[in-house]
Amino acid sequence: MVSIQNIQFTYPNSKTLVFPNFICKAGETLLISGNSGTGKTTLLHILAGIQKADSGAVVIDKHNIQALSGDQMDAFRGKHIGLILQNSHFIEAFNVLENVVFASWLGQGKELREKAQHLLETLGLGDQLYKKMTALSIGQQQRVSIARALINDPAILLADEPTSSLDDENTQIVSDLLIEMATKFQTALIIVTHDSRLKEKFPNQIVLK
Amino acid sequence: MIIKLAWKNLWLKPLNTILSFILLASSVAIITVLILLQNQFDKKFYDSIENIDLVLGAQGSPLQVLLSSVYQMDAPTGNIDYEEAKKWMANPFVKEAIPLAFGDNFHGYKILGTTPQYIEKYGGTLLEGTMFKNPLEVVIGSTIASNFKLAVGDTFLGSHGAVEHGEVHENHPYRIVGILKPTDRILDNLVVSNIESVWAVHDHASDDAPVDHATEVHDHQDGEHHNHDHKDEVAEVHNPEDGKEITAVLISFRNKMGLITWPRIIAQNTKMQAVLPAVEINRLISMFGVGIESLKYLAYGIMLLSGISIFVILYNRLKERKYEFALIRIHGGTSRQLLQLVVIESLLLCLIGFIFGTIIGRFCLGFISLAAQEEYKMSFNPLEVVWKNETTLFILTLCIGLLSAVIPALKAYSMNISKTLANA
């Protein structure tokens, strides 16, 4: 479960961003949308512990991550938070399978090779395991991102504009997969996007202003 | 997994990596060759003059006397009168005096006339056969035996002088009576006989008749009257050593006063010169040393260049790898792991450079050794490890790697992932 309370953040020489409180339970989904400059990405970074809010609390699995030190946050993020980015960045030197296994090593200190393989097969990438990341299509790369985000059984799956660079067909596939995985792995799924194509798929939504 | 990533990252841009690798491996190879050469030169040179306090030789370059008589590397400056030398050899100050006479060579390997004490002095022991007793009997070093597949009982002809293709003494074949065990010293490259052999061959240089070892040997040994087929010695009563010459005498003193007084006395009162090996070798090594040190500085310069090259590669790649670093962080990697990654990449490159450098260096020394063996009958062991110096070189190489990685690693360590991801 994830909840945020009274989160505020101020960039230097900018107005203070005030975010609404919300709760997203295990297996539930939440879509956060809003125009540019409303703080969508900032909120996602605060939820991921990449940035610290000026005030308020972000509670993930009963831990207020705002109170964690830098090292504690790195360890917590690896174990409890799965992150999917708009542009699928990967480790170029590793193949598809190694990219997912590496995430398990970073998060848990273990190379979960079989689990990574199983996840990739579930996501329809069973025949792409040993390919270079650059050999995959953008849609396939986004699916590898999902596998990588799920490898450590995170309590929360955060996706930043996961479909904005995809065509309609791939947007459909990726969004369905995200929802399916969140349900299957009982993970709270929070998507930050301005992609209106996703609105009808997510019953719980917050619009930032 | 970090090491695996570091390794794979190195080969993502192979051209950059190979350039740094070549620079580093070259510098390590040069330094390795110099370390081994210097160490083995020192060992060979100082080892060979152990317990030799003074060398008596003909006047001329003292270094040449030393090189020709102790290291068998140069032509002698000339000969000295044996009778006169014997007076000095019998001096009470002298503990041991070993006469040396050169005249011929066998395929470039010197044939040395001396006493069995010479072989003992250099730690030679017989692998098979016996020590030479009679003229034209020889004991050969292990290198010569293996190079020419020679065995006890074989005979061979010597060529006059130090030149391989000199006049061949066809009527005076040498007979091998013993083969020495390998010593890794000059003995391995020598044919050793008694001094009478050298005299016999050269007294008979114009003699057409073949020499019968069995009959000729006896009288030269004991100095008795003899009356066989010597054109210029027929029916002559004389000491066989009269008028004979040798090339040098290796002397060790009982009383070290000789070291101080002999060089001056001998220079003033004889046609000989007294060479102090320690002084000459120190002079020689210091001359070599300048060259070796210069080459070392050149190699350190190349090593520094390779360090700069590694730094440039790591630094330039920081920009293109910022998302990789951000990814590592968002999946639970720590700043320290990023720092480790950059440092390990640099250290891996240096480690491979060092390993290949030491191997290449040893191959080079192997080739140098072959050339030196051919030219100077001196070999070097490429497989020797000079632990102290090579460990220092290893640490120095790793330090280059660490220094090259410091700035890129600190930049990776302190990167702002939020800013990086926001700009993605």
Side-chain angles (χ1 to χ4, degrees), chain B residues 51-116:
Chain B
N51 297 323
I52 299 173
D53 295 323
L54 187 139
V55 179
L56 272 183
Q59 287 178 345
S61 158
L63 188 59
Q64 194 178 340
V65 170
L66 187 70
L67 289 175
S68 64
S69 58
V70 178
Y71 303 106
Q72 321 301 338
M73 285 173 68
D74 201 352
T77 47
N79 285 334
I80 56 175
D81 183 76
Y82 188 38
E83 279 303 306
E84 189 178 13
K86 270 169 64 177
K87 289 177 197 161
W88 293 92
M89 289 163 70
N91 190 291
F93 277 13
V94 173
K95 183 174 151 196
E96 185 182 43
I98 301 174
L100 309 175
F102 302 106
D104 298 331
N105 76 85
F106 171 62
H107 289 289
Y109 292 93
K110 278 187 176 175
I111 300 172
L112 173 66
T114 183
T115 62

Side-chain angles (χ1 to χ4, degrees), chain A residues 71-108:
Chain A
D71 284 350
Q72 286 170 331
M73 189 60 233
D74 287 336
F76 186 87
R77 192 187 307 116
K79 283 180 188 161
H80 300 280
I81 301 171
L83 197 57
I84 299 162
L85 302 171
Q86 177 182 358
N87 295 317
S88 311
H89 294 293
F90 294 95
I91 291 172
E92 207 184 336
F94 280 163
N95 63 28
V96 172
L97 182 62
E98 285 169 336
N99 261 285
V100 181
V101 172
F102 187 52
S104 75
W105 182 81
L106 287 171
Q108 302 186 45

Side-chain angles (χ1 to χ4, degrees), chain B residues 111-260:
Chain B
I111 300 172
L112 173 66
T114 183
T115 62
Q117 280 73 37
Y118 180 85
I119 290 175
E120 279 169 33
K121 191 173 194 69
Y122 287 105
T125 48
L126 285 165
L127 178 70
E128 56 180 306
T130 57
M131 193 52 68
F132 53 82
K133 285 184 190 137
N134 303 311
L136 299 177
E137 284 182 352
V138 295
V139 164
I140 60 172
S142 58
T143 306
I144 302 170
S146 65
N147 282 0
F148 298 97
K149 309 262 182 299
L150 294 172
V152 171
D154 289 350
T155 57
F156 62 85
L157 298 172
S159 302
H160 187 72
V163 186
E164 188 175 347
H165 303 293
E167 179 198 350
V168 176
H169 296 300
E170 287 180 358
N171 295 330
H172 299 88
Y174 291 96
R175 189 165 60 85
I176 299 167
V177 294
I179 294 172
L180 295 170
K181 286 181 184 168
T183 58
D184 197 28
R185 300 171 89 173
I186 45 176
L187 273 182
D188 296 348
N189 297 306
L190 280 181
V191 176
V192 190
S193 67
N194 58 18
I195 289 182
E196 288 78 3
S197 297
V198 177
W199 292 337
V201 170
H202 295 94
D203 284 350
H204 291 80
S206 59
D207 192 344
D208 291 331
V211 171
D212 178 347
H213 295 96
T215 58
E216 184 178 89
V217 294
H218 57 285
D219 288 349
H220 286 260
Q221 288 297 298
D222 51 19
E224 286 175 9
H225 174 88
H226 59 288
N227 174 5
H228 48 78
D229 194 20
H230 291 204
K231 279 184 176 173
D232 51 354
E233 297 174 18
V234 174
E236 194 181 336
V237 178
H238 71 295
N239 180 343
E241 291 173 355
D242 280 353
K244 300 290 185 195
E245 289 184 327
I246 58 170
T247 315
V249 184
L250 307 180
I251 290 173
S252 59
F253 286 115
R254 183 175 288 117
N255 185 330
K256 299 293 178 190
M257 276 300 287
L259 276 173
I260 302 163

Side-chain angles (χ1 to χ4, degrees), chain A residues 34-187:
Chain A
N35 293 330
S36 292
T38 52
K40 295 190 299 295
T41 300
T42 303
L43 177 58
L44 183 117
H45 286 182
I46 290 170
L47 284 168
I50 294 169
Q51 267 181 332
K52 277 203 170 172
D54 299 335
S55 61
V58 178
V59 179
I60 299 172
D61 265 3
K62 298 175 186 169
H63 294 90
N64 179 9
I65 63 169
Q66 288 285 107
L68 297 178
S69 68
D71 284 350
Q72 286 170 331
M73 189 60 233
D74 287 336
F76 186 87
R77 192 187 307 116
K79 283 180 188 161
H80 300 280
I81 301 171
L83 197 57
I84 299 162
L85 302 171
Q86 177 182 358
N87 295 317
S88 311
H89 294 293
F90 294 95
I91 291 172
E92 207 184 336
F94 280 163
N95 63 28
V96 172
L97 182 62
E98 285 169 336
N99 261 285
V100 181
V101 172
F102 187 52
S104 75
W105 182 81
L106 287 171
Q108 302 186 45
K110 289 185 279 191
E111 292 182 35
L112 304 176
R113 205 173 173 81
E114 281 179 21
K115 186 178 177 184
Q117 202 166 332
H118 176 70
L119 261 175
L120 287 165
E121 279 164 3
T122 308
L123 290 161
L125 295 168
D127 54 348
Q128 312 285 332
L129 299 180
Y130 303 104
K131 283 193 176 166
K132 284 187 169 183
M133 288 306 305
T134 47
L136 302 189
S137 68
I138 294 174
Q140 286 173 319
Q141 288 181 357
Q142 201 59 299
R143 278 187 268 163
V144 179
S145 291
I146 296 171
R148 191 174 57 187
L150 288 169
I151 187 76
N152 294 319
D153 297 326
I156 172 175
L157 190 58
L158 299 170
D160 184 14
E161 305 279 8
T163 56
S164 59
S165 55
L166 302 179
D167 57 21
D168 289 348
E169 189 188 346
N170 274 307
T171 297
Q172 184 74 21
I173 294 169
V174 168
S175 57
D176 286 348
L177 271 172
L178 282 170
I179 294 166
E180 185 190 333
M181 292 296 146
T183 311
K184 189 175 175 182
F185 294 100
Q186 282 299 290
T187 300

